[in-house]
Coordinates of all heavy atoms in Angstrom, one line a residue:
M317 N 0.8 -1.2 0.0 CA 0.0 0.0 0.0 C 0.9 1.2 0.0 O 1.8 1.3 -0.8 CB -0.9 0.0 1.2 CG -1.9 -1.1 1.1 SD -3.7 -0.8 1.1 CE -4.1 0.8 1.6
F318 N 0.6 2.2 0.9 CA 1.3 3.4 1.0 C 2.4 3.3 2.0 O 2.3 2.7 3.1 CB 0.4 4.6 1.4 CG -0.7 4.9 0.4 CD1 -2.0 4.5 0.6 CD2 -0.3 5.5 -0.8 CE1 -3.0 4.8 -0.4 CE2 -1.3 5.7 -1.8 CZ -2.6 5.4 -1.5
P319 N 3.6 4.0 1.7 CA 4.6 4.0 2.8 C 4.2 4.8 4.0 O 3.3 5.6 3.9 CB 5.8 4.7 2.1 CG 5.4 4.9 0.7 CD 3.9 4.6 0.5
P320 N 4.8 4.6 5.1 CA 4.4 5.3 6.4 C 4.4 6.8 6.3 O 3.7 7.5 6.9 CB 5.3 4.8 7.4 CG 5.9 3.5 6.9 CD 5.8 3.6 5.4
A321 N 5.3 7.3 5.4 CA 5.4 8.8 5.3 C 4.1 9.5 4.8 O 3.9 10.6 5.1 CB 6.6 9.2 4.4
F322 N 3.3 8.7 4.0 CA 2.1 9.3 3.5 C 1.0 9.5 4.7 O 0.1 10.3 4.5 CB 1.4 8.4 2.5 CG 2.1 8.5 1.1 CD1 2.9 7.4 0.6 CD2 2.0 9.6 0.4 CE1 3.5 7.5 -0.6 CE2 2.6 9.8 -0.8 CZ 3.4 8.7 -1.3
F323 N 1.3 8.9 5.8 CA 0.3 9.0 6.9 C 0.8 9.9 8.0 O 0.3 9.8 9.1 CB -0.1 7.6 7.4 CG -0.8 6.8 6.3 CD1 -0.1 5.7 5.7 CD2 -2.0 7.1 5.9 CE1 -0.7 5.0 4.7 CE2 -2.7 6.4 4.9 CZ -2.0 5.3 4.3
G324 N 1.8 10.7 7.7 CA 2.3 11.6 8.7 C 3.5 11.2 9.6 O 4.0 12.0 10.3
S325 N 3.9 10.0 9.4 CA 5.1 9.5 10.2 C 6.4 9.7 9.3 O 6.3 9.7 8.1 CB 4.9 8.1 10.7 OG 4.9 7.2 9.5
V326 N 7.5 9.8 10.0 CA 8.7 10.0 9.3 C 9.6 8.8 9.6 O 9.8 8.4 10.7 CB 9.4 11.3 9.7 CG1 10.8 11.4 9.0 CG2 8.6 12.5 9.5
G327 N 10.1 8.1 8.5 CA 10.9 7.0 8.7 C 12.4 7.3 8.6 O 12.8 8.5 8.5
A328 N 13.2 6.3 8.7 CA 14.6 6.5 8.7 C 15.2 7.1 7.5 O 16.0 8.0 7.5 CB 15.3 5.1 9.0
P329 N 14.7 6.7 6.3 CA 15.3 7.3 5.1 C 15.0 8.9 5.0 O 15.8 9.6 4.6 CB 14.5 6.6 3.9 CG 14.1 5.3 4.5 CD 13.8 5.6 5.9
E330 N 13.8 9.2 5.5 CA 13.5 10.7 5.5 C 14.3 11.4 6.4 O 14.8 12.5 6.2 CB 12.0 10.9 5.8 CG 11.0 10.4 4.7 CD 10.7 8.9 4.8 OE1 11.1 8.3 5.8 OE2 10.0 8.5 3.9
I331 N 14.6 10.8 7.6 CA 15.4 11.5 8.6 C 16.8 11.7 8.1 O 17.4 12.7 8.3 CB 15.4 10.7 9.9 CG1 14.0 10.8 10.6 CG2 16.5 11.2 10.9 CD1 13.9 10.0 11.8
V332 N 17.4 10.7 7.4 CA 18.7 10.8 6.9 C 18.8 11.9 5.8 O 19.7 12.7 5.8 CB 19.1 9.4 6.2 CG1 20.4 9.6 5.4 CG2 19.3 8.4 7.3
I333 N 17.8 12.0 5.0 CA 17.7 13.0 3.9 C 17.6 14.4 4.6 O 18.3 15.3 4.2 CB 16.6 12.8 3.0 CG1 16.9 11.5 2.1 CG2 16.4 14.0 2.1 CD1 15.7 11.1 1.3
I334 N 16.8 14.5 5.6 CA 16.6 15.8 6.3 C 17.9 16.2 6.9 O 18.4 17.4 6.8 CB 15.5 15.8 7.3 CG1 14.1 15.7 6.5 CG2 15.5 17.0 8.2 CD1 13.0 15.3 7.4
L335 N 18.6 15.3 7.6 CA 19.9 15.6 8.3 C 20.9 16.0 7.3 O 21.7 17.0 7.5 CB 20.3 14.5 9.1 CG 19.5 14.2 10.4 CD1 20.0 12.9 11.1 CD2 19.7 15.4 11.4
F336 N 21.0 15.3 6.1 CA 21.9 15.6 5.1 C 21.7 17.0 4.5 O 22.6 17.8 4.4 CB 21.9 14.6 4.0 CG 22.8 14.8 2.9 CD1 24.2 14.6 3.0 CD2 22.4 15.3 1.7 CE1 25.1 14.8 2.0 CE2 23.3 15.6 0.6 CZ 24.6 15.3 0.8
V337 N 20.4 17.3 4.2 CA 20.1 18.6 3.6 C 20.5 19.8 4.5 O 21.0 20.8 4.1 CB 18.6 18.7 3.2 CG1 18.2 20.1 2.9 CG2 18.4 17.7 2.0
F338 N 20.2 19.6 5.8 CA 20.5 20.7 6.8 C 22.0 20.8 7.2 O 22.5 21.8 7.6 CB 19.6 20.6 8.0 CG 18.2 21.1 7.7 CD1 17.2 20.1 7.7 CD2 17.9 22.4 7.4 CE1 15.9 20.5 7.4 CE2 16.6 22.8 7.2 CZ 15.6 21.9 7.1
S339 N 22.7 19.6 7.2 CA 24.1 19.7 7.6 C 25.0 20.0 6.5 O 26.2 20.5 6.7 CB 24.4 18.3 8.2 OG 24.4 17.3 7.3
L340 N 24.7 19.8 5.3 CA 25.5 20.1 4.1 C 25.9 21.6 4.1 O 27.1 21.8 3.9 CB 24.9 19.6 2.8 CG 25.8 19.8 1.6 CD1 27.0 18.9 1.7 CD2 25.0 19.4 0.3
P341 N 25.0 22.5 4.2 CA 25.5 23.9 4.1 C 26.4 24.3 5.3 O 27.3 25.0 5.1 CB 24.2 24.7 4.2 CG 23.1 23.8 3.8 CD 23.6 22.4 4.1
V342 N 26.1 23.7 6.5 CA 27.0 24.0 7.6 C 28.4 23.5 7.4 O 29.4 24.2 7.6 CB 26.4 23.4 8.9 CG1 27.3 23.5 10.1 CG2 25.0 24.0 9.2
A343 N 28.5 22.3 6.8 CA 29.8 21.7 6.5 C 30.5 22.5 5.5 O 31.7 22.7 5.6 CB 29.6 20.2 6.1
L344 N 29.8 23.0 4.5 CA 30.5 23.8 3.4 C 31.0 25.1 4.0 O 32.1 25.6 3.6 CB 29.5 24.1 2.3 CG 29.1 22.8 1.4 CD1 28.0 23.2 0.4 CD2 30.3 22.3 0.8
V345 N 30.2 25.8 4.9 CA 30.7 27.0 5.5 C 31.9 26.8 6.3 O 32.9 27.5 6.3 CB 29.5 27.6 6.3 CG1 30.1 28.8 7.2 CG2 28.4 28.1 5.4
L346 N 31.9 25.7 7.1 CA 33.1 25.4 7.9 C 34.3 25.1 7.1 O 35.4 25.5 7.4 CB 32.8 24.2 8.8 CG 31.8 24.4 10.0 CD1 31.4 23.1 10.7 CD2 32.3 25.5 10.9
L347 N 34.1 24.3 6.0 CA 35.2 24.0 5.1 C 35.8 25.3 4.4 O 37.0 25.5 4.4 CB 34.7 23.1 4.0 CG 35.8 22.7 3.0 CD1 36.9 21.9 3.6 CD2 35.2 21.8 1.9
A348 N 34.9 26.2 4.0 CA 35.3 27.5 3.5 C 36.1 28.3 4.5 O 37.2 28.9 4.1 CB 34.1 28.3 3.0
G349 N 35.7 28.3 5.8 CA 36.5 29.0 6.8 C 37.9 28.4 7.0 O 38.8 29.1 7.2
V350 N 38.0 27.1 7.0 CA 39.3 26.4 7.2 C 40.2 26.8 6.0 O 41.4 27.1 6.2 CB 39.1 24.9 7.3 CG1 40.4 24.2 7.2 CG2 38.4 24.6 8.6
I351 N 39.7 26.7 4.8 CA 40.5 27.0 3.6 C 40.9 28.5 3.7 O 42.1 28.8 3.4 CB 39.7 26.7 2.3 CG1 39.5 25.2 2.2 CG2 40.4 27.3 1.1 CD1 38.6 24.8 1.1
H352 N 40.0 29.4 4.0 CA 40.4 30.8 4.1 C 41.5 31.1 5.2 O 42.4 31.8 4.9 CB 39.2 31.7 4.4 CG 39.4 33.1 4.6 ND1 39.8 33.9 3.6 CD2 39.5 33.9 5.7 CE1 40.0 35.1 4.0 NE2 39.8 35.1 5.3
A353 N 41.4 30.4 6.3 CA 42.4 30.6 7.4 C 43.7 30.1 6.9 O 44.8 30.7 7.2 CB 41.9 29.9 8.6
A354 N 43.7 28.9 6.2 CA 45.0 28.4 5.7 C 45.7 29.3 4.7 O 46.9 29.5 4.7 CB 44.8 27.0 5.1
R355 N 44.8 29.9 3.8 CA 45.4 30.8 2.8 C 45.9 32.1 3.4 O 46.9 32.6 3.0 CB 44.4 31.1 1.8 CG 44.1 30.0 0.8 CD 43.2 30.4 -0.3 NE 43.0 29.3 -1.3 CZ 42.1 29.4 -2.2 NH1 41.3 30.4 -2.4 NH2 42.0 28.3 -3.0
S356 N 45.2 32.6 4.4 CA 45.6 33.8 5.1 C 47.0 33.6 5.8 O 47.8 34.4 5.8 CB 44.6 34.3 6.1 OG 43.4 34.6 5.5
Q357 N 47.1 32.5 6.5 CA 48.3 32.2 7.2 C 49.5 32.0 6.2 O 50.6 32.5 6.5 CB 48.2 30.9 8.0 CG 49.4 30.6 8.9 CD 49.2 29.4 9.7 OE1 48.3 28.6 9.5 NE2 50.1 29.1 10.6
Q358 N 49.3 31.4 5.1 CA 50.3 31.2 4.1 C 50.7 32.5 3.5 O 51.9 32.8 3.3 CB 49.9 30.2 3.0 CG 50.9 29.9 2.0 CD 50.5 29.0 0.9 OE1 49.3 28.6 0.9 NE2 51.4 28.6 0.1
S359 N 49.8 33.4 3.2 CA 50.1 34.6 2.6 C 50.9 35.5 3.5 O 51.7 36.3 3.1 CB 48.9 35.3 2.0 OG 48.3 36.2 2.9
S360 N 50.5 35.5 4.8 CA 51.3 36.3 5.8 C 52.7 35.8 5.9 O 53.7 36.6 6.0 CB 50.6 36.4 7.1 OG 50.7 35.1 7.8
T361 N 52.9 34.5 5.9 CA 54.3 34.0 5.9 C 55.0 34.4 4.6 O 56.2 34.7 4.7 CB 54.2 32.4 6.0 OG1 53.5 32.1 7.2 CG2 55.6 31.9 6.1
D362 N 54.4 34.3 3.5 CA 55.0 34.7 2.2 C 55.4 36.2 2.3 O 56.5 36.5 1.8 CB 54.1 34.5 1.1 CG 53.8 33.0 0.8 OD1 54.6 32.2 1.3 OD2 52.9 32.7 0.0
R363 N 54.6 37.0 2.8 CA 54.9 38.5 2.9 C 56.1 38.7 3.8 O 57.0 39.5 3.5 CB 53.7 39.3 3.4 CG 52.7 39.5 2.3 CD 51.7 40.6 2.8 NE 51.1 40.3 4.0 CZ 49.9 39.7 4.2 NH1 49.2 39.5 3.1 NH2 49.3 39.5 5.3
A364 N 56.1 38.0 4.9 CA 57.3 38.1 5.9 C 58.6 37.6 5.2 O 59.6 38.2 5.4 CB 57.0 37.3 7.1
L365 N 58.5 36.5 4.5 CA 59.7 36.0 3.8 C 60.2 37.0 2.8 O 61.4 37.3 2.6 CB 59.5 34.7 3.2 CG 59.5 33.5 4.1 CD1 59.0 32.2 3.4 CD2 60.8 33.3 4.7
E366 N 59.3 37.7 2.1 CA 59.6 38.7 1.1 C 60.3 39.9 1.7 O 61.3 40.4 1.2 CB 58.4 39.1 0.3 CG 58.7 40.1 -0.8 CD 59.6 39.5 -1.9 OE1 59.6 38.3 -2.1 OE2 60.3 40.3 -2.5
E367 N 59.8 40.3 2.9 CA 60.4 41.4 3.6 C 61.8 41.0 4.1 O 62.7 41.8 4.1 CB 59.5 41.8 4.8 CG 58.2 42.5 4.4 CD 58.5 43.9 3.8 OE1 59.4 44.6 4.2 OE2 57.8 44.2 2.8
L368 N 61.9 39.8 4.5 CA 63.2 39.3 5.0 C 64.2 39.3 3.8 O 65.4 39.7 4.0 CB 63.1 37.9 5.5 CG 64.3 37.2 6.1 CD1 64.8 38.0 7.3 CD2 64.1 35.8 6.4
R369 N 63.8 38.9 2.7 CA 64.7 38.9 1.5 C 65.1 40.3 1.1 O 66.3 40.5 0.7 CB 64.0 38.2 0.3 CG 63.9 36.7 0.5 CD 63.3 36.0 -0.7 NE 63.1 34.6 -0.5 CZ 62.0 34.0 -0.3 NH1 60.9 34.7 -0.2 NH2 61.9 32.7 -0.1
I370 N 64.2 41.2 1.2 CA 64.5 42.6 0.9 C 65.5 43.2 1.9 O 66.5 43.8 1.5 CB 63.2 43.5 0.9 CG1 62.3 43.1 -0.3 CG2 63.5 44.9 0.8 CD1 60.9 43.6 -0.3
A371 N 65.3 42.9 3.2 CA 66.3 43.4 4.2 C 67.6 42.8 3.9 O 68.7 43.4 4.1 CB 65.7 43.0 5.6
Y372 N 67.7 41.5 3.6 CA 68.9 40.8 3.3 C 69.6 41.4 2.1 O 70.8 41.7 2.1 CB 68.7 39.3 3.1 CG 69.9 38.5 2.7 CD1 70.9 38.3 3.7 CD2 70.1 38.0 1.5 CE1 72.1 37.6 3.4 CE2 71.2 37.3 1.1 CZ 72.2 37.1 2.1 OH 73.3 36.4 1.8
A373 N 68.8 41.7 1.0 CA 69.4 42.3 -0.2 C 69.9 43.7 0.1 O 70.9 44.1 -0.5 CB 68.3 42.4 -1.3
R374 N 69.3 44.4 1.0 CA 69.8 45.8 1.4 C 71.1 45.7 2.2 O 71.7 46.7 2.5 CB 68.8 46.5 2.2 CG 67.6 46.9 1.4 CD 66.7 47.8 2.2 NE 65.5 48.0 1.5 CZ 64.3 48.1 2.0 NH1 64.1 48.0 3.3 NH2 63.2 48.4 1.3
G375 N 71.5 44.5 2.7 CA 72.6 44.4 3.5 C 72.4 44.6 5.0 O 73.3 44.9 5.8
E376 N 71.1 44.6 5.4 CA 70.8 44.8 6.8 C 71.1 43.7 7.7 O 70.9 43.8 9.0 CB 69.3 45.2 6.9 CG 69.0 46.5 6.1 CD 67.5 46.8 6.1 OE1 66.7 46.1 6.7 OE2 67.1 47.8 5.4
M377 N 71.4 42.5 7.2 CA 71.8 41.4 8.0 C 72.7 40.5 7.2 O 72.8 40.5 6.0 CB 70.5 40.6 8.4 CG 69.8 39.9 7.2 SD 68.2 39.2 7.7 CE 67.2 40.6 8.0
D378 N 73.5 39.7 8.0 CA 74.4 38.8 7.4 C 73.8 37.4 7.0 O 72.6 37.2 7.3 CB 75.6 38.6 8.3 CG 75.3 37.9 9.6 OD1 74.1 37.5 9.8 OD2 76.2 37.7 10.4
D379 N 74.5 36.5 6.4 CA 74.0 35.3 5.9 C 73.4 34.4 7.1 O 72.3 33.8 6.9 CB 75.1 34.4 5.3 CG 75.6 35.1 4.0 OD1 74.9 36.0 3.5 OD2 76.7 34.7 3.5
D380 N 74.1 34.3 8.2 CA 73.7 33.5 9.3 C 72.3 34.0 9.9 O 71.4 33.3 10.2 CB 74.7 33.5 10.4 CG 76.0 32.7 10.0 OD1 75.9 31.9 9.1 OD2 77.0 33.1 10.5
E381 N 72.2 35.4 10.0 CA 71.0 36.0 10.5 C 69.8 35.7 9.6 O 68.7 35.4 10.0 CB 71.2 37.5 10.8 CG 70.0 38.2 11.3 CD 69.6 37.8 12.7 OE1 70.5 37.2 13.4 OE2 68.5 38.2 13.2
F382 N 70.1 35.9 8.3 CA 69.1 35.6 7.3 C 68.6 34.2 7.4 O 67.4 33.9 7.4 CB 69.6 35.9 5.9 CG 68.7 35.5 4.8 CD1 67.5 36.3 4.5 CD2 68.9 34.4 4.0 CE1 66.7 35.9 3.5 CE2 68.0 34.0 3.0 CZ 66.9 34.8 2.7
E383 N 69.5 33.2 7.4 CA 69.1 31.8 7.4 C 68.3 31.5 8.7 O 67.4 30.7 8.7 CB 70.3 30.9 7.3 CG 70.9 30.9 5.9 CD 70.0 30.4 4.8 OE1 69.2 29.5 5.1 OE2 70.1 30.9 3.7
R384 N 68.8 32.0 9.8 CA 68.1 31.8 11.1 C 66.7 32.3 11.1 O 65.7 31.6 11.4 CB 68.8 32.4 12.3 CG 68.3 32.1 13.6 CD 69.0 32.8 14.8 NE 68.8 34.3 14.7 CZ 67.7 34.9 15.1 NH1 66.7 34.3 15.5 NH2 67.7 36.3 15.0
R385 N 66.5 33.5 10.6 CA 65.1 34.1 10.5 C 64.3 33.4 9.5 O 63.1 33.2 9.7 CB 65.2 35.6 10.2 CG 65.8 36.4 11.3 CD 65.7 37.9 11.0 NE 66.3 38.7 12.0 CZ 66.2 40.0 12.1 NH1 65.4 40.6 11.2 NH2 66.7 40.7 13.1
K386 N 64.9 33.0 8.4 CA 64.1 32.2 7.4 C 63.6 30.9 7.9 O 62.4 30.5 7.7 CB 65.0 32.0 6.2 CG 64.3 31.3 5.0 CD 65.3 31.1 3.9 CE 64.6 30.2 2.8 NZ 65.6 29.8 1.8
R387 N 64.5 30.2 8.6 CA 64.0 28.9 9.2 C 62.9 29.1 10.2 O 62.0 28.3 10.3 CB 65.2 28.2 9.9 CG 66.2 27.5 9.0 CD 67.1 26.6 9.8 NE 67.8 27.2 10.9 CZ 68.9 27.9 10.8 NH1 69.5 28.0 9.6 NH2 69.5 28.4 11.8
T388 N 63.0 30.2 11.0 CA 61.9 30.5 12.0 C 60.6 30.8 11.3 O 59.6 30.3 11.7 CB 62.3 31.8 12.8 OG1 63.6 31.5 13.5 CG2 61.3 32.1 13.8
L389 N 60.7 31.6 10.2 CA 59.4 31.9 9.5 C 58.9 30.7 8.8 O 57.6 30.5 8.7 CB 59.7 33.0 8.4 CG 59.9 34.4 9.0 CD1 60.3 35.3 7.9 CD2 58.6 34.9 9.7
E390 N 59.7 29.8 8.3 CA 59.2 28.6 7.6 C 58.8 27.5 8.6 O 58.3 26.4 8.2 CB 60.3 28.1 6.7 CG 60.5 29.0 5.5 CD 61.6 28.6 4.6 OE1 62.5 27.8 5.0 OE2 61.7 29.0 3.5
G391 N 59.0 27.7 9.9 CA 58.5 26.7 10.9 C 59.5 25.6 11.1 O 59.1 24.6 11.7
E392 N 60.7 25.7 10.7 CA 61.7 24.6 10.9 C 62.4 24.7 12.3 O 63.1 23.8 12.7 CB 62.7 24.7 9.8 CG 62.1 24.4 8.5 CD 63.2 24.5 7.3 OE1 64.4 24.6 7.6 OE2 62.7 24.4 6.2
D393 N 62.2 25.8 13.0 CA 62.9 26.0 14.3 C 62.0 25.6 15.4 O 60.8 25.6 15.5 CB 63.2 27.5 14.5 CG 64.7 27.7 14.6 OD1 65.5 26.7 14.5 OD2 65.1 28.9 14.7

């Protein structure tokens, strides 16, 4: 005859679909936030490395100081 959903009850398949429909946008927003945060962190590190290279090129630091600061910025320290 008719499935139980036709008479006002909600079965397991309907609950799964409802949860998926409502949780998908939340998951996408969270994923976008994580991606944005990762890109922001990477770009700030890139800017800092560029400034470090400029200071080195101007002769404001020696080779050892440059390498030490570069390792720190790249997270190797």
Side-chain angles (χ1 to χ4, degrees):
M317 293 243 341
F318 295 107
F322 282 111
F323 298 108
S325 64
V326 178
E330 290 86 5
I331 290 174
V332 170
I333 291 171
I334 290 169
L335 289 175
F336 179 76
V337 167
F338 285 109
S339 64
L340 184 63
V342 173
L344 291 175
V345 168
L346 291 174
L347 180 63
V350 168
I351 291 171
H352 177 71
R355 285 185 179 172
S356 294
Q357 183 178 11
Q358 181 181 7
S359 92
S360 68
T361 301
D362 291 343
R363 283 194 303 262
L365 282 170
E366 184 61 28
E367 290 293 324
L368 181 66
R369 288 184 183 104
I370 291 169
Y372 178 71
R374 288 184 188 146
E376 297 174 5
M377 65 185 74
D378 62 4
D379 294 345
D380 293 332
E381 180 69 14
F382 173 77
E383 289 299 327
R384 185 183 65 78
R385 290 184 183 195
K386 182 180 172 194
R387 280 194 309 272
T388 300
L389 287 172
E390 291 174 341
E392 295 176 8
D393 242 359

